[in-house]
Amino acid sequence: QVQLVESGGGLVQAGGSLRLSCAASGRTFSRYSVGWFRQAPGKEREFVVAIRWSGSTTNYADSVKGRFTISRDNAKNMVYLQMSSLKPEDTAIYYCAATQRIMITMTTQYDYWGQGTQVTVSS
């Protein structure tokens, strides 16, 4: 079992940067792939980026490619999302999630979810 807690959200101006953190518990965390998802008011939760347990493979949504970077430190049970060149359309609640399944870009493949952290980008 894995427990996840997100942090680092806040208010930032367009063009700014923000770093989100996902702290995980569980001795088998390093064997899980981890994804970041986001949900804006009135919209469905969408895939942002994911990283496999080894850290050797990453997948980015087209909307964030070149602006967001995911990384993990298995020794510390931490996953990070570095966000740059933020846009108002990035405003959403951001969730981290963990899975041992294959299709890591799919919301339904994830077994464990954090509570979310709010990111607001102003114009």
Side-chain angles (χ1 to χ4, degrees):
Q1 186 174 349
V2 176
Q3 295 180 351
L4 306 169
V5 179
E6 304 95 334
S7 63
L11 176 64
V12 64
Q13 293 184 349
S17 299
L18 204 61
R19 189 186 194 187
L20 305 184
S21 298
C22 178
S25 63
R27 66 177 184 176
T28 61
F29 171 71
S30 63
R31 301 299 182 94
Y32 286 79
S33 298
V34 175
W36 286 95
F37 296 80
R38 66 187 182 186
Q39 187 168 19
K43 296 185 178 180
E44 297 294 322
R45 189 170 300 183
E46 67 174 355
F47 168 78
V48 177
V49 62
I51 186 169
R52 295 199 179 275
W53 64 268
S54 66
S56 61
T57 303
T58 56
N59 296 85
Y60 290 85
D62 289 340
S63 60
V64 305
K65 192 173 298 182
R67 299 188 299 120
F68 290 11
T69 302
I70 190 171
S71 61
R72 67 187 299 168
D73 186 340
N74 288 340
K76 296 181 178 180
N77 280 9
M78 295 290 292
V79 177
Y80 306 98
L81 180 62
Q82 179 65 51
M83 305 183 293
S84 300
S85 301
L86 284 164
K87 305 174 181 179
E89 50 263 44
D90 294 319
T91 296
I93 299 175
Y94 283 71
Y95 301 88
C96 65
T99 182
Q100 290 184 306
R101 297 185 174 92
I102 297 174
M103 304 301 292
I104 61 174
T105 63
M106 306 298 294
T107 304
T108 55
Q109 297 297 296
Y110 286 79
D111 303 298
Y112 306 101
W113 294 83
Q115 82 292 335
T117 185
Q118 177 71 48
V119 172
T120 302
V121 184
S122 62
S123 301

